[in-house]
Amino acid sequence: MTSSPLRPNERWIIAQEGSRESYAVPLAFHRLGSLRLFYVDIWCRRGRSLLRRGPESTRSLATRFHPEIPPELVMSFSPAAILTRALDHFRRDRLSAEALGDIYNQFGCWFALRVRAHLERLDLDPKRDFFFGFNTNCLEVLELLKEKRIHTIVDQVDPGKVEEDLVLEEAERWPGWSRAPGRMPQSYWDRLRAEWDLADLVLVNSDWSAQALVRQGVARGKIVVVPLALDLVVGHAFEPIHAKGTLRVLWLGSVILRKGIQYLVEAARRLQGQHVEFLLAGPLGIANDVVGRFPSNIKVLGRITRDQLSEVYKQAHLFVLPTISDGFAITQLEAMAHGLPVIATPNCGRVVTDGVDGLIVPARDSAALAEAVGRLDGDRGLLREMSRSALKTVARFDLPSNARMINNLALSHQRAQQRQPALCYA
């Protein structure tokens, strides 16, 4: 796949913590010839083959890299970030929501200050340079770029406090399930609010998130909706699935209340005795005694690393996402790229066309979820037709289209701002 470049006038500076969507944003802009700099906390420049042979933690570290992004465009802070992230990882399961919020704030500030210090030494052009950062990781950078009149976008990856409210409702409905129910500290929400206020545009990945941010006071005109995208260059072309025998239904992601695990468990109970098996891949974020009471048709695979994703998808015939709230859920696209139809709720990014490449069920409805799985178990021909459609659907969510959409929205907004008459004061 080749990508036509953007106009040579535009240069994008991207900053992100972690390996969000396998570095989709910087990769997309690089392929279009407009990536000026990519700031990241950890970048594994060497030793990856050795790390891949180690335990889960080192295998995960080996994935913090993308061979297509030129090393001279990458600015990382790996030694200090690795130490900080390792400490946070081992403490995470024991921390309250309030403590986690403090950690997000502290690391976000740490990262943003380092990005800012480097940007202060660069020659930035308001006519050419654009900045793209992610929530909690860019406040101090936005403050600098506001002064320098650089156009900025902050990506709000989740629906914010609206999502937290929904999760707390679930914790009350399902007592004893959540390991650490609670609220983020106000300082966390204050940091988000400050980033939303400073950025020229707030980017979200779904209408669901856009509606949530409007409820939190963000002007609708400042919000742009851009779905996530998948790197369709990497990997193999998959054929439509042909399910025989037991229908294997995959859940991939954190096993938590927000993702709707409680309703999947109830749906699995309803389907006991049928030829259906549920595969749960992802870190467990619910109480161990609850997991011990799962029905026998649920198989817990546990945490997996990014290099194991494709093999896990290949084990399944159908993907389920009974989420209560998601900013988008990139797993929908990954599943479809492997030929899996998707059963999802409306509370995430719009990927599934109901009855075509999957099914849409209401959130918090285990009966509807069980009925949808049972329907496809009983009609394997329909399942195969949906698999064919899923492979066509995912082709629309490609990286070049994603980058062009972001670029065009930023340009349009910048031009609109320039056309606004200056205020005159007596």
Side-chain angles (χ1 to χ4, degrees):
M1 180 185 297
T2 59
S3 303
S4 59
L6 299 176
R7 299 183 317 166
N9 197 46
E10 294 129 27
R11 305 184 300 194
W12 282 85
I13 298 165
I14 314 294
Q16 73 173 59
E17 171 265 324
S19 57
R20 298 178 187 276
E21 292 85 51
S22 300
Y23 306 107
V25 175
L27 181 61
F29 280 106
H30 170 61
R31 286 183 179 167
L32 294 179
S34 59
L35 179 65
R36 181 180 182 186
L37 273 175
F38 174 42
Y39 294 96
V40 66
D41 57 338
I42 298 171
W43 194 249
C44 190
R45 297 178 186 269
R46 55 185 64 87
R48 292 181 299 280
S49 59
L50 180 63
L51 292 171
R52 290 190 192 101
R53 295 196 292 268
E56 176 191 316
S57 58
T58 64
R59 294 202 312 274
S60 178
L61 183 60
T63 65
R64 295 293 198 98
F65 177 80
H66 199 288
E68 275 193 58
I69 301 178
E72 64 271 18
L73 299 184
V74 180
M75 171 60 65
S76 63
F77 315 104
S78 297
I82 289 173
L83 177 60
T84 303
R85 296 284 81 179
L87 291 173
D88 291 346
H89 173 76
F90 288 115
R91 293 187 298 163
R92 184 178 299 271
D93 290 343
R94 303 190 301 272
L95 295 176
S96 65
E98 184 172 7
L100 279 174
D102 288 337
I103 285 176
Y104 295 150
N105 276 354
Q106 290 164 12
F107 190 82
C109 179
W110 179 90
F111 178 69
L113 285 173
R114 278 152 183 77
V115 174
R116 174 177 175 142
H118 190 265
L119 282 173
E120 285 176 331
R121 302 194 296 270
L122 295 184
D123 181 20
L124 298 174
D125 185 349
K127 296 180 180 179
R128 298 188 64 192
D129 290 314
F130 295 81
F131 174 81
F132 188 106
F134 291 83
N135 64 273
T136 74
N137 296 161
C138 61
L139 176 59
E140 292 74 16
V141 179
L142 296 174
E143 291 169 345
L144 170 70
L145 298 183
K146 192 78 169 179
E147 298 172 4
K148 294 183 176 292
R149 298 180 294 110
I150 301 298
H151 207 78
T152 58
I153 296 178
V154 60
D155 188 329
Q156 178 59 40
V157 301
D158 59 50
K161 206 164 190 176
V162 168
E163 183 170 275
E164 183 185 68
D165 291 341
L166 290 171
V167 173
L168 288 174
E169 287 179 14
E170 289 302 308
E172 292 179 3
R173 286 187 178 192
W174 301 83
W177 279 60
S178 182
R179 286 183 177 176
R183 288 193 177 276
M184 290 287 195
Q186 186 58 43
S187 59
Y188 175 83
W189 304 116
D190 290 344
R191 185 173 178 86
L192 290 189
R193 168 63 63 184
E195 289 176 334
W196 299 342
D197 289 344
L198 280 170
D200 291 290
L201 289 172
V202 179
L203 185 147
V204 295
N205 305 122
S206 62
D207 291 331
W208 170 254
S209 286
Q211 294 164 15
L213 262 62
V214 169
R215 290 170 60 184
Q216 293 167 82
V218 182
R220 185 60 184 88
K222 192 173 189 175
I223 300 171
V224 292
V225 179
V226 179
L228 295 183
L230 204 61
D231 184 6
L232 302 176
V233 174
V234 177
H236 305 283
F238 290 94
E239 296 294 325
I241 57 103
H242 187 61
K244 293 183 178 180
T246 299
L247 182 73
R248 294 190 296 278
V249 182
L250 177 65
W251 160 301
L252 196 153
S254 297
V255 182
I256 53 177
L257 293 180
R258 178 176 64 80
K259 294 279 189 180
I261 183 58
Q262 59 277 35
Y263 299 103
L264 181 73
V265 170
E266 291 302 303
R269 285 202 174 95
R270 291 171 179 267
L271 293 169
Q272 286 187 99
Q274 297 189 31
H275 296 295
V276 178
E277 181 183 40
F278 292 88
L279 308 176
L280 261 61
L284 295 174
I286 57 175
N288 290 332
D289 61 324
V290 172
V291 177
R293 298 195 301 270
F294 280 179
S296 59
N297 56 352
I298 291 181
K299 182 179 180 181
V300 179
L301 303 181
R303 186 190 297 269
I304 62 169
T305 52
R306 187 168 296 278
D307 58 333
Q308 299 171 314
L309 285 179
S310 188
E311 289 305 314
V312 172
Y313 281 117
K314 289 176 185 177
Q315 295 179 37
H317 305 123
L318 177 64
F319 187 79
V320 287
L321 180 69
T323 184
I324 309 301
S325 178
D326 254 293
F328 184 86
I330 191 71
T331 51
Q332 297 178 93
L333 298 182
E334 293 173 348
M336 285 187 172
H338 288 79
L340 302 184
V342 175
I343 298 176
T345 74
N347 298 7
C348 58
R350 291 183 180 178
V351 175
V352 176
T353 299
D354 189 41
V356 176
D357 44 27
L359 297 169
I360 299 292
V361 298
R364 297 169 159 172
D365 193 334
S366 56
L369 179 58
E371 182 181 353
V373 173
R375 176 185 173 188
L376 295 180
D377 177 38
D379 191 343
R380 301 299 176 92
L382 176 60
L383 183 70
R384 186 165 175 80
E385 286 303 313
M386 286 185 172
S387 176
R388 289 193 181 95
S389 297
L391 289 167
K392 294 176 182 177
T393 295
V394 75
R396 302 199 306 265
F397 294 85
D398 62 297
L399 291 186
S401 297
N402 183 268
R404 288 192 189 92
M405 188 182 302
I406 295 171
N407 189 79
N408 292 340
L409 287 166
L411 281 175
S412 296
H413 189 264
Q414 184 186 56
R415 289 165 182 160
Q417 285 184 323
Q418 292 170 348
R419 288 194 298 268
Q420 290 178 357
L423 295 175
C424 295
Y425 297 92

